[in-house]
Amino acid sequence: MEVKPHTARALVGRLRGAAAACDAAATAAAVADIRLASKDDPEIRAPLAEAGAVPLLAAQLSAGAGVDAAAALLNISISAREQLASAPGLLDALTAALRTGAAHHAAATVHSLLCAEAHRAAIGARRPLLAALVALLRAPPSTRATKDALKALFGVALYPPNRATLVSLGAVQALFALVMTDARHGIVEDATAVVAQVAGCAESLEAFRWVSGVRILLDLVEPGGAETERARENAAAALLNLVVAGGEPAVAEVLAVGGAVETVQELAEDSAASPRGKAKAEALLKALEGADHAARRREHRLADFLNGLVRSDPYISSPASASTHG
């Protein structure tokens, strides 16, 4: 049982010595060895963290060994998430790495940390880190980096207070740009999953208006509108979350799109649709129909009130019968 800790201490000791001597080649070699060990041997990951590997690797994220350091941190995070989350300066180092060639590993490491619910608030409070993740969605195409950024943003958005921050950073615009233009496998599915989470805050409604988000989502909900059933489900979930968080203004935004109720009803009644998609559509349909009925009742009450005024006072004309006199 002592073999793993001994090996871990030896690997970390090599890195510490090389870094202290400012030997770039030896440092890169030591980082590469830690990456390889943490990849091939899951049992050495926790001992590496306990031996002090995390801050040493974090210090190399913006150096020549940045890709190997980020990959090693990702591997270690699988078994030693708490040691990474508590390491001083790690989140700042990951933020910087998100703007380098190590971005995909750095984003994946952030996602790994977010798998623990306890870390979502602290990571969500790091606005520069969130901005760097959103920026990856707009970066030159790199499927790995984009997918890892989307997974990280999904984890961020699982904590409701983080959603308004993502909206303020332009996440809605970046996500819908992917939905509309990105044909890479799985990207639209992952992007709509994040959209569904971000939609669950009142601040998202205005951002959706700017990009015609409701119309785009309704197009995805239509039969054949989305490339995959999961993307269709996510679109329905996004509309439902938007309506729940945005209330009457959000309902009105959905109903303003011609055929919205019929489109949602098609999904709710689609025997080939997934149970999750049908359930989201059914809940959304109830919200839309309930709001529509309430609006009609208000119109009827107003009409009855006006007609009552007309009957009680002959000098008042109802809107329907008013005429212009010269």
Side-chain angles (χ1 to χ4, degrees):
M1 294 296 293
E2 186 62 28
V3 173
K4 304 293 183 185
H6 177 76
T7 302
R9 287 193 295 269
L11 288 167
V12 173
R14 278 183 54 211
L15 174 56
R16 183 178 288 111
C22 298
D23 186 332
T27 298
V31 171
D33 286 345
I34 291 176
R35 174 184 182 175
L36 184 63
S38 62
K39 176 186 175 183
D40 293 341
D41 187 0
E43 293 183 1
I44 205 170
R45 294 168 183 163
L48 282 169
E50 292 164 4
V54 174
L56 292 170
L57 291 169
Q60 299 301 318
L61 283 174
S62 297
V67 173
D68 283 338
L73 286 168
L74 173 59
N75 295 337
I76 292 170
S77 74
I78 297 170
S79 303
R81 202 166 278 131
E82 294 306 317
Q83 286 95 322
L84 258 75
S86 61
L90 176 71
L91 293 180
D92 291 334
L94 287 172
T95 300
L98 287 169
R99 300 184 178 92
T100 71
H104 60 288
H105 290 310
T109 303
V110 174
H111 171 249
S112 178
L113 294 175
L114 288 162
C115 288
E117 186 176 349
H119 303 150
R120 291 171 190 163
I123 291 175
R126 300 288 185 127
R127 190 177 176 91
L129 190 155
L130 303 190
L133 288 171
V134 172
L136 277 179
L137 305 185
R138 303 190 183 100
S142 166
T143 300
R144 289 181 65 184
T146 303
K147 288 181 74 68
D148 286 329
L150 287 169
K151 289 177 182 177
L153 288 168
F154 181 83
V156 169
L158 285 176
Y159 183 64
N162 292 340
R163 295 168 187 166
T165 304
L166 291 176
V167 171
S168 71
L169 290 170
V172 171
Q173 292 89 331
L175 289 164
F176 274 104
L178 288 178
V179 171
M180 292 299 293
T181 64
D182 205 303
R184 288 173 289 174
H185 178 70
I187 294 293
V188 173
E189 286 188 355
D190 290 344
T192 51
V194 183
V195 168
Q197 292 300 319
V198 175
C201 70
E203 293 82 356
S204 66
L205 180 58
E206 187 61 29
F208 273 54
R209 287 188 179 123
W210 275 98
V211 295
S212 301
V214 169
R215 185 177 295 277
I216 293 169
L217 292 173
L218 284 168
D219 286 345
L220 292 175
V221 170
E222 285 186 355
E227 186 175 334
T228 67
E229 193 60 35
R230 181 171 164 242
R232 190 185 186 195
E233 291 173 11
N234 291 340
L239 289 167
L240 177 59
N241 290 343
L242 186 72
V243 164
V244 170
E248 287 189 12
V251 171
E253 196 77 16
V254 177
L255 291 174
V257 178
V261 172
E262 293 77 10
T263 297
V264 177
Q265 190 164 8
E266 279 190 88
L267 175 55
E269 297 174 352
D270 189 346
S271 59
S274 68
R276 177 178 178 266
K278 288 168 66 69
K280 297 294 183 183
E282 288 166 2
L284 177 59
L285 196 59
K286 287 179 181 177
L288 297 178
E289 290 180 337
D292 196 30
H293 292 158
R296 290 177 184 174
R297 285 197 299 272
R298 285 194 296 271
E299 289 177 3
H300 290 158
R301 285 197 298 269
L302 178 59
D304 290 343
F305 173 72
L306 292 174
N307 288 333
L309 286 177
V310 171
R311 287 193 296 269
S312 64
D313 189 338
Y315 293 101
I316 298 178
S317 296
S318 69
S321 61
S323 59
T324 302
H325 298 282

